[in-house]
Amino acid sequence: MKEPEARNQLSHYIFMYRRMAALSIRSQWRYRKSLLLSIAAQFLIIGVEFLGLFLLFQRFNNFQGWTLPQMAFLYGTVNIAFAIADALAYGFDQMGPLLKTGNFDRLLVRPLPAVLQLLGMEITIRRSGRIFLGLATFSWAAWRLGAATVLAPASLLLLALAMLAGVLVFLSLFLVQAAFTFVTIEGLEFMNAFTYGGQQTASYPLSAYRKFMQVLFVAFIPIGSCIYLPVCLVLQKSGLPGLPDWAHVAGPLAALPFMAAALLAWRSGQRWYSSSGG
Amino acid sequence: MDEGLYSRPTMIQVEQLSKTYTVLKKKKGSLRRDREYIKALDHLSFTIGRGEICGYIGPNGAGKSTTIKILSGILHPDRNAGSCLVNGRVPWKNRLAHVREIGVVFGQRTQLWWDLPASDSFELLADMYQVPSGQRKERINRLKDELELHSFLHMPVRQMSLGQRMRCELSAALIHNPPLLFLDEPTIGLDAPSKIALRNFIRWLNREYGTTIILTTHDMDDIEALAGRVLLIGKGRLLFDGSMQALRREAGAEKRIVLDLASEPDPHSMRELFRGTELRLLEQNKQRLTLAFNPERLAATEALKMAIGNLQVADLAVEGQPVEELIAALYSRHNI
Amino acid sequence: MKKFWQPYLAAFRGRAKASLQYRSAALAGMFTQFFFGLILTMVMEAWYQSYTGSAPLPLSLHQAASYIWLGQMVFALIPWRGDPELQNLVRSGEVGRDLVRPVHIFSLWFIRSLAWRYVSVVLRFLPILIFSALILPHTALRSIALMPPASTAGLFGFLVLLSTGSLLSAAISVLISCFQFRQISAVGMNAIAAAIISFFSGQIVPLPLISGPVELIYRLLPFRYMADVPYRFWLGSLTLADLPAALTAQFLWLAILLVGGHFYVNIQLRQVTIAGG
């Protein structure tokens, strides 16, 4: 008896998310002009990041045996995943102000889980500049590397999986950050080390870092497992020493336990909130 | 209490409810923080029947919003301290099911999408509460008519006046026709016509749908216009529960006689005139005298006779004591 | 004379005090900067390990890593966004409050911005210095630690240029904030400014490693004088003999920005007054 009801519930949630997302995009569309400016700005930001990479290549010729197109391939994959997560996570970002103004209570008197309402609060189009440049970088890299090899069906599937997993890991990080806000109210800047820092770290081959950093981003915050390892397989680069081949394929699965942990953190945060009253 | 044949079925039952907040206080010159416990609700009990409009009043920090937060499922009360049943449910046990059947309006916060027309918000909320499509149209039209939303329904919320916005807020909270509505300072900052329109609507809602309404406010005119019953709390305890008239009696409300005299009298002689009588001279401002008396001790006709007796009166009025003063008197009597 | 300074002094003190309130935020920011510093220096180390060319590199690894740590240390001094308080002031229209006061608007904002930056830098400077220069050398990460200043003269040049550079920085952040007047998205303008300024001040790639046309551009812009140039004194690639030229360039830019900013603000304010009716 319970089964169909749960499925109904889920389809209602999905329906509501799509409704909220559509509304959010419509309301942003009212400010097209400033939207375009923001997207252009985003373009510029990661443009200078990439310019930096390019200039360093000119100076040093290679990075740990990786060529520029190979680096761009990894860089593009990571940045597309990060940009999608960043655009979806606007509501998580707003937790500090929501709690300070008491508006979070508004979400709690509505018949939808708070996480879903936060996710639906806004899909930030102006953060999507990074997606476009990520795509551009990725496409350029794929063309230079020979699309036939790096985008063969098996590789493509693995890459899609890697990107999806990457989005989930970044979203989970933002969710943990939001969960902390229940206790600290002030936004937690130190979590930026793992969100933006994670994106920065994962944009370079993980082999460049010292051991503790590798362990951190493979085992604890598995953005490396989700993106770097599969990308290594696709580019036929040796990944991390001591890791078996299957780990490169199975890497993206690491997103699932991480997401579960993040949801758990959120739940205990919300429980803390409703028993302490903020 | 008399559980008579005509008593209403219960909507809210609160028994011995307590809520304690823990506050970390930083001591000066020390890194350690001391825990301080603040009892926001202290074994609070009351019952509200279906279809009642209840004013819930008390000074700031009395526990009003804590109560509302618990009743609407936002906050958990202290463990093992009392019980609380709203609409047959423990609010915090199954939040999603509970909130489906209540409406909440926080006067100073919006639940509408700021950049979009209110009509979009209504549709979205109707989806969220899964209002069947057959009922939804009728419901929205009804609210639209009663609250006269037509002229601004398709305007972005951010461009609306406060009065227009409040009317939309109210509609938004009622799309799913909840049997129970919490109104938190609904008329704050509104101009007089908007206030009156809002009150009329609330009365209509209560009559038409039998909606139970809990109204927290500092505006005593709201209470007097709407609430058949007043709950007064202070320091987390229930101090008074009854009708407005009973509240007046409890507070020892005075009546006032305002006299406009034909000519400006000498202040000293006026004070002398009422010395030792049941009439008290409250104020003298040019030709206007304000006298007070306790209706329990002095009948109104007697008071009038005494007041007019030896004076040349051009105009007069008898008034009740302003509710604000009554409440202030009650607060100070209870030391809150 | 004392009277004349009073409102500006009060503005400085008030903002500094308010900024000090955010100590916990600064603490969190510090952790983020440790972390970013580690990531960036490790990547830099990997670049150096990958180099197989024969031409000598413009910086040694130790110098390049130090450059990155110095960047983390004075991070708050780089005006990579407008002054948030000032931007709120303009957005909410409360800017009118300042307009009715008998003070020079641009100077007042400039002073406030300066106080905010000073406090932010002071809160972060020392912990990151201790971490990168005193702790790291005793760990396995000694190759990417912050090296001590090349000489006493180098330290002197660094400190002098940094403190005068902060004036430049405050002026730029007021200017960025003033874009808010144009009603276009501050978010967009902030982001564009952030991109340009962080790159051309040397926060993304150490500027000495860059050659070719980009080098020409960064030399023509004012942003390196708040960061890159002082760093070079610490690293020893510039010496005391270069100090007068650096100072002259800084003050030239400062003068241009202050005068330009003053006129820009006045023009914008006039328009605001008209629009506000």
Side-chain angles (χ1 to χ4, degrees):
Chain A
M1 274 315 276
K2 208 136 187 160
E3 190 61 12
E5 203 174 276
R7 199 180 308 146
N8 261 339
Q9 189 81 320
L10 187 67
S11 72
H12 175 56
Y13 287 170
I14 293 171
F15 169 71
M16 280 317 297
Y17 180 69
R18 283 189 9 217
R19 282 280 276 125
M20 290 188 283
L23 266 196
S24 136
I25 287 171
R26 245 191 42 222
S27 74
Q28 288 173 71
W29 194 243
R30 290 176 176 252
Y31 304 97
R32 289 180 276 282
K33 252 200 215 147
S34 84
L35 205 62
L36 280 176
L37 186 77
S38 297
I39 292 178
Q42 280 264 320
F43 230 89
L44 202 67
I45 289 185
I46 102 155
V48 297
E49 274 173 33
F50 196 77
L51 177 67
L53 189 65
F54 176 78
L55 290 169
L56 285 169
F57 250 100
Q58 283 203 320
R59 176 66 68 192
F60 294 97
N61 296 323
N62 80 86
F63 186 82
Q64 305 260 300
W66 288 54
T67 63
L68 183 59
Q70 286 173 332
M71 291 277 283
F73 195 75
L74 175 65
Y75 188 91
T77 317
V78 168
N79 277 281
I80 292 169
F82 181 79
I84 293 175
D86 198 30
L88 298 183
Y90 173 83
F92 297 163
D93 231 23
Q94 292 300 303
M95 272 301 286
L98 280 175
L99 287 171
K100 255 184 263 179
T101 55
N103 274 323
F104 186 69
D105 292 346
R106 273 247 54 92
L107 304 188
L108 290 183
V109 295
R110 287 185 188 149
L112 278 184
V115 174
L116 188 64
Q117 293 187 59
L118 288 176
L119 276 173
M121 192 176 268
E122 184 179 304
I123 299 200
T124 316
I125 307 177
R126 69 185 146 72
R127 291 185 184 173
S128 62
R130 196 178 272 275
I131 300 181
F132 296 127
L133 206 62
L135 272 173
T137 316
F138 181 84
S139 314
W140 175 78
W143 168 66
R144 286 291 304 273
L145 294 167
T149 49
V150 294
L151 296 184
S155 303
L156 207 57
L157 186 70
L158 188 59
L159 280 173
L161 214 62
M163 269 188 220
L164 179 68
V167 172
L168 290 181
V169 169
F170 282 125
L171 266 183
S172 304
L173 277 170
F174 288 123
L175 183 63
V176 171
Q177 188 164 19
F180 270 118
T181 331
F182 281 123
V183 185
T184 59
I185 305 297
E186 284 291 330
L188 271 196
E189 218 193 317
F190 87 84
M191 280 295 295
N192 290 352
F194 302 117
T195 52
Y196 297 99
Q199 175 249 335
Q200 175 89 26
T201 311
S203 299
Y204 284 89
L206 220 53
S207 57
Y209 301 99
R210 298 291 179 93
K211 195 89 189 173
F212 70 90
M213 210 63 122
Q214 293 176 358
V215 171
L216 177 66
F217 283 103
V218 169
F220 293 97
I221 301 171
I223 189 64
S225 318
C226 289
I227 296 184
Y228 172 68
L229 294 181
V231 165
C232 279
L233 202 64
V234 170
L235 296 180
Q236 291 171 327
K237 308 289 297 181
S238 58
L240 294 175
L243 275 185
D245 266 359
W246 63 262
H248 291 70
V249 186
L253 292 179
L256 295 177
F258 188 67
M259 195 171 73
L263 282 170
L264 221 62
W266 169 265
R267 253 190 46 184
S268 50
Q270 198 178 333
R271 193 163 296 162
W272 192 89
Y273 175 78
S274 59
S275 64
S276 78
Chain B
M1 236 213 279
D2 178 32
E3 294 279 334
L5 216 67
Y6 301 107
S7 68
R8 303 162 189 261
T10 310
M11 174 56 94
I12 298 176
Q13 181 147 30
V14 173
E15 258 167 59
Q16 302 288 316
L17 198 67
S18 291
K19 176 73 200 171
T20 314
Y21 294 119
T22 314
V23 184
L24 290 177
K25 271 241 164 122
K26 210 168 162 184
K27 268 211 282 191
K28 233 187 169 150
S30 145
L31 279 176
R32 257 207 21 240
R33 290 177 187 204
D34 283 352
R35 273 160 189 272
E36 201 171 283
Y37 298 97
I38 295 173
K39 261 198 150 6
L41 296 184
D42 191 2
H43 298 92
L44 184 70
S45 306
F46 59 83
T47 307
I48 292 173
R50 283 184 190 266
E52 281 197 70
I53 302 184
C54 222
Y56 195 59
I57 60 174
N60 289 331
K64 286 193 310 269
S65 65
T66 303
T67 318
I68 301 300
K69 280 183 181 178
I70 291 176
L71 294 181
S72 55
I74 296 169
L75 212 57
H76 300 193
D78 290 352
R79 236 171 264 248
N80 307 323
S83 67
C84 168
L85 222 54
V86 179
N87 199 16
R89 280 205 180 81
V90 179
W92 58 91
K93 279 281 155 63
N94 184 349
R95 182 177 68 79
L96 294 186
H98 176 67
V99 298
R100 222 184 285 278
E101 293 179 14
I102 62 171
V104 186
V105 175
F106 294 118
Q108 281 150 309
R109 292 170 209 152
T110 184
Q111 58 184 326
L112 303 164
W113 274 253
W114 204 240
D115 292 321
L116 292 171
S119 50
D120 283 351
S121 294
F122 294 168
E123 287 292 336
L124 187 79
L125 287 166
D127 283 338
M128 198 182 280
Y129 286 93
Q130 293 173 288
V131 180
S133 49
Q135 289 168 28
R136 140 180 344 192
K137 196 147 191 207
E138 191 222 316
R139 182 81 189 152
I140 293 180
N141 280 335
R142 200 76 198 269
L143 291 166
K144 218 155 56 176
D145 292 340
E146 281 304 319
L147 282 163
E148 292 167 31
L149 309 177
H150 299 274
S151 59
F152 49 88
L153 194 59
H154 298 285
M155 210 154 96
V157 173
R158 121 188 85 76
Q159 291 171 7
M160 289 182 190
S161 74
L162 186 61
Q164 293 173 331
R165 215 197 76 207
M166 269 320 293
R167 285 190 262 169
C168 289
E169 297 284 353
L170 213 51
S171 313
L174 292 169
I175 295 276
H176 56 299
N177 199 4
L180 173 62
L181 176 66
F182 294 102
L183 294 172
D184 185 15
E185 299 277 0
T187 58
I188 199 165
L190 294 186
D191 57 17
S194 304
K195 276 187 185 178
I196 289 166
L198 222 60
R199 286 177 197 150
N200 285 337
F201 173 77
I202 292 169
R203 236 180 270 126
W204 170 84
L205 180 78
N206 175 259
R207 221 177 30 236
E208 188 81 8
Y209 294 94
T211 310
T212 312
I213 296 165
I214 313 295
L215 176 69
T216 55
T217 180
H218 287 292
D219 187 335
M220 291 306 149
D221 293 339
D222 284 350
I223 300 279
E224 217 158 8
L226 293 171
R229 180 177 165 200
V230 182
L231 297 178
L232 170 72
I233 68 163
K235 291 187 181 157
R237 292 169 198 246
L238 190 65
L239 301 178
F240 175 83
D241 178 358
S243 67
M244 209 57 213
Q245 289 90 322
L247 183 81
R248 285 184 187 284
R249 272 201 303 278
E250 167 100 3
E254 294 175 328
K255 289 261 180 198
R256 280 170 190 191
I257 301 173
V258 183
L259 300 176
D260 281 340
L261 301 183
S263 60
E264 194 174 333
D266 166 42
H268 181 72
S269 69
M270 283 297 114
R271 273 200 298 277
E272 281 303 307
L273 186 60
F274 294 108
R275 174 159 300 180
T277 68
E278 288 282 347
L279 279 179
R280 206 152 48 81
L281 179 63
L282 273 187
E283 199 185 3
Q284 179 184 0
N285 187 5
K286 298 215 175 110
Q287 277 131 295
R288 174 163 289 186
L289 293 184
T290 310
L291 302 165
F293 66 97
N294 185 338
E296 305 261 294
R297 299 229 297 264
L298 184 66
T301 44
E302 286 303 311
L304 269 179
K305 274 186 207 155
M306 272 173 70
I308 303 173
N310 310 316
L311 297 168
Q312 287 286 0
V313 177
D315 197 3
L316 78 95
V318 182
E319 300 172 343
Q321 192 179 1
V323 194
E324 266 76 13
E325 282 183 22
L326 284 182
I327 299 296
L330 268 179
Y331 288 175
S332 73
R333 183 180 325 154
H334 288 286
N335 256 332
I336 54 175
Chain C
M1 201 61 203
K2 192 180 156 215
K3 276 239 169 74
F4 170 72
W5 282 109
Q6 238 163 17
Y8 303 99
L9 206 64
F12 186 89
R13 254 198 241 119
R15 188 72 195 275
K17 236 184 185 163
S19 307
L20 268 171
Q21 300 263 303
Y22 296 103
R23 266 169 302 201
S24 58
L27 205 72
M30 236 152 51
F31 174 78
T32 310
Q33 265 141 1
F34 287 152
F35 201 84
F36 266 94
L38 282 177
I39 296 172
L40 293 172
T41 48
M42 281 182 205
V43 169
M44 190 49 78
E45 185 179 41
W47 281 112
Y48 274 83
Q49 284 164 356
S50 313
Y51 186 64
T52 50
S54 51
L57 292 166
L59 292 176
S60 69
L61 170 61
H62 210 163
Q63 277 178 318
S66 301
Y67 191 102
I68 291 169
W69 282 119
L70 290 173
Q72 297 302 311
M73 246 158 65
V74 301
F75 178 74
L77 203 60
I78 311 299
W80 47 273
R81 58 172 178 173
D83 184 336
E85 189 185 285
L86 180 48
Q87 280 178 328
N88 276 333
L89 217 64
V90 176
R91 193 171 22 226
S92 65
E94 272 178 73
V95 66
R97 213 183 48 197
D98 280 349
L99 287 180
V100 298
R101 293 204 265 186
V103 289
H104 187 240
I105 289 289
F106 189 83
S107 312
L108 186 74
W109 290 347
F110 176 74
I111 297 276
R112 278 197 208 143
S113 235
L114 199 61
W116 168 56
R117 295 211 168 278
Y118 273 154
V119 171
S120 316
V121 170
V122 166
L123 282 175
R124 288 158 210 238
F125 188 88
L126 214 62
I128 297 179
L129 180 73
I130 291 171
F131 176 77
S132 60
L134 299 181
I135 297 176
L136 279 191
H138 302 287
T139 67
L141 297 170
R142 72 186 65 81
S143 55
I144 50 173
L146 171 63
M147 65 184 235
S151 63
T152 329
L155 180 65
F156 175 72
F158 171 79
L159 289 176
V160 168
L161 283 173
L162 211 56
S163 41
T164 46
S166 63
L167 301 175
L168 196 58
S169 166
I172 292 173
S173 75
V174 173
L175 269 178
I176 298 172
S177 313
C178 290
F179 286 135
Q180 188 87 54
F181 282 125
R182 313 266 350 192
Q183 299 287 316
I184 37 176
S185 154
V187 184
M189 285 317 292
N190 270 345
I192 289 175
I196 292 175
I197 293 173
S198 57
F199 187 89
F200 288 107
S201 61
Q203 292 294 104
I204 291 184
V205 176
L207 295 184
L209 291 177
I210 297 174
S211 51
V214 183
E215 182 181 1
L216 211 72
I217 300 172
Y218 80 64
R219 283 186 184 282
L220 285 174
L221 291 172
F223 308 115
R224 64 190 290 252
Y225 293 99
M226 309 169 294
D228 173 65
V229 174
Y231 303 166
R232 288 181 197 227
F233 278 86
W234 181 294
L235 302 180
S237 40
L238 289 177
T239 62
L240 216 46
D242 303 304
L243 191 57
L247 274 175
T248 313
Q250 258 191 355
F251 277 105
L252 219 60
W253 273 114
L254 186 64
I256 292 171
L257 290 174
L258 285 182
V259 173
H262 164 81
F263 282 113
Y264 181 71
V265 168
N266 276 1
I267 291 167
Q268 293 304 330
L269 282 182
R270 206 167 303 145
Q271 283 173 359
V272 166
T273 326
I274 291 164

